[in-house]
Amino acid sequence: MIDRFGRTINYLRLSVTEKCQLHCDYCRSSEECQNSKELTAEEILRLSRVCVKLGLDKIRLTGGEPLMRRDIIEIAENIGKLQNLRELTMTTNGQLLSQCAKELYRAGIHRINISLDSLNADCYRSMTGGDINKIFSAIEEAKKAGMNPIKINAVLLRGINDGEVNNFLHFSREYGVTVRFIELMPLGRLSDKPEMRITMKEILEKNPVLIPGEKTGEPAREFHFSGSAKAGIIAPMSEPFCDSCNRIRILSDGTLRPCLGCIDEISLSEFLGGDDKMLSEKIERAVFNKPLGYTMRDCEKPIRDMSRIGG
């Protein structure tokens, strides 16, 4: 699909739940899930099928934590069978991944992103409430299952984990994964703490070992280090990449959000009981009217947390 600015939109980030067992400050503003209504597995499959027919050939399953859905293997397996779907991926916090990596791979998820914000067990637990040893096990099981690439997402926060860049680069080489450093966005409890944001410029100034690679049009700017090793930096606040955006988001309650940083949303729930034609037209119209860029502003209270939008 093409939007009104000529961008090709072929990527759907599909949240299957708001539930998450962790409490990352950059992602959530409260401990409780605010919305208990979730799309059924059948509704998720229908939305995916319609989107693929419209030309969206890459789907990423997100949350919350997608592995908290008991039917996540069924969901992935059914989506993975869709004709003309080029790629099915997932973003997870990794706490449950080691238990189901092989099943996910067989279901069609052959590459995965795992959130890991610190390599220090105490710091990781403080930031997220999670068990870092489960992440290490998850990476090993994902590799054994055949998943490749495995990408590690780390949100850098000033005074907390910003001194770990070199450790992450070493970890990347040792484990054969690609680390991506992500700028803090105003979408959680830290929405009023822009001073905690570490920008791409700061990362590069303090880590000259990172050599810029070719621009690929992806949100993550690619860098090389130690020969062929790669890392990425995602800098939506200091260096927006809206002009090359190729994605839309569908939230776990059936709301379509054409842009992560804009509050414009379109409910698809009322069309799930009708025919595919009406649903397709609604999605096509939303894609065509996708905003040129986002309107995220520091110190503004977000309408939805990242956990509710889909990470």
Side-chain angles (χ1 to χ4, degrees):
M1 287 185 285
I2 307 294
D3 72 4
R4 55 186 165 149
F5 301 106
R7 295 172 297 191
T8 298
I9 310 301
N10 67 339
Y11 181 8
L12 170 63
R13 296 182 70 99
L14 177 57
S15 177
V16 297
T17 185
E18 291 182 10
K19 297 182 180 71
C20 184
Q21 70 274 59
L22 303 187
H23 53 72
C24 307
D25 287 341
Y26 57 79
C27 185
R28 300 174 69 179
S29 60
S30 66
E31 294 300 323
E32 297 181 0
C33 175
Q34 300 179 42
N35 177 36
S36 58
K37 179 175 174 54
E38 295 178 345
L39 294 167
T40 65
E42 292 76 16
E43 290 171 333
I44 289 172
L45 177 59
R46 185 179 177 207
L47 283 167
S48 300
R49 186 182 69 245
V50 169
C51 285
V52 170
K53 283 185 177 180
L54 288 172
L56 281 77
D57 60 3
K58 177 178 178 180
I59 296 178
R60 177 175 296 277
L61 302 179
T62 70
E65 171 47 46
L67 296 183
M68 290 193 73
R69 280 196 67 137
R70 295 180 180 180
D71 54 0
I72 190 61
I73 302 299
E74 173 194 348
I75 289 171
E77 191 171 38
N78 288 333
I79 294 176
K81 294 176 181 176
L82 292 175
Q83 189 175 5
N84 297 323
L85 179 66
R86 177 175 56 87
E87 187 175 297
L88 177 63
T89 63
M90 177 182 287
T91 295
T92 173
N93 62 34
Q95 295 295 296
L96 302 173
L97 179 58
S98 62
Q99 305 165 29
C100 58
K102 290 181 181 178
E103 288 182 280
L104 288 172
Y105 186 87
R106 286 195 292 266
I109 296 178
H110 295 168
R111 50 193 299 169
I112 201 159
N113 290 15
I114 304 173
S115 298
L116 175 60
D117 298 310
S118 176
L119 294 172
N120 177 284
D122 291 336
C123 182
Y124 176 75
R125 182 173 293 278
S126 175
M127 290 181 71
T128 69
D131 181 350
I132 198 170
N133 291 312
K134 292 182 178 180
I135 303 293
F136 299 148
S137 297
I139 293 171
E140 290 299 331
E141 291 303 316
K143 289 168 68 175
K144 288 178 183 177
M147 292 183 180
N148 183 47
I150 299 170
K151 296 182 179 180
I152 302 299
N153 293 340
V155 177
L156 295 181
L157 302 178
R158 192 179 308 280
I160 296 181
N161 64 342
D162 53 320
E164 295 192 53
V165 172
N166 280 330
N167 292 340
F168 270 113
L169 297 181
H170 178 76
F171 177 82
S172 175
R173 290 193 303 269
E174 181 181 356
Y175 276 76
V177 297
T178 299
V179 63
R180 288 123 53 89
F181 303 110
I182 303 175
E183 280 186 351
L184 173 66
M185 290 178 279
L187 291 171
R189 275 186 288 264
L190 300 180
S191 61
D192 60 348
K193 302 286 185 182
E195 67 275 9
M196 297 187 72
R197 180 178 304 125
I198 304 297
T199 66
M200 180 189 295
K201 182 179 179 182
E202 289 180 88
I203 295 172
L204 297 179
E205 286 177 347
K206 294 178 181 179
N207 299 276
V209 66
L210 292 170
I211 307 301
E214 293 185 10
K215 292 186 177 181
T216 61
E218 294 291 321
R221 179 73 189 277
E222 187 176 278
F223 295 87
H224 299 275
F225 65 98
S226 299
S228 60
K230 295 179 182 179
I233 301 177
I234 302 176
M237 299 302 291
S238 66
E239 300 192 29
F241 35 80
C242 300
D243 59 343
S244 60
C245 183
N246 66 341
R247 65 199 60 198
I248 58 171
R249 296 168 184 262
I250 294 180
L251 285 56
S252 60
D253 62 358
T255 300
L256 190 155
R257 191 163 176 137
C259 171
L260 169 63
C262 291
I263 62 173
D264 297 338
E265 295 181 345
I266 299 94
S267 175
L268 301 177
S269 299
E270 61 184 293
F271 299 95
L272 291 175
D275 58 31
D276 284 358
K277 184 174 184 294
M278 293 180 65
L279 183 58
S280 296
E281 289 174 351
K282 192 72 172 178
I283 294 172
E284 282 186 296
R285 191 177 307 116
V287 168
F288 182 76
N289 291 317
K290 178 178 167 69
L292 179 59
Y294 59 73
T295 56
M296 281 190 293
R297 295 290 182 270
D298 286 323
C299 300
E300 287 184 352
K301 185 177 180 179
I303 303 299
R304 293 187 191 246
D305 298 341
M306 178 63 87
S307 61
R308 298 191 67 201
I309 298 171

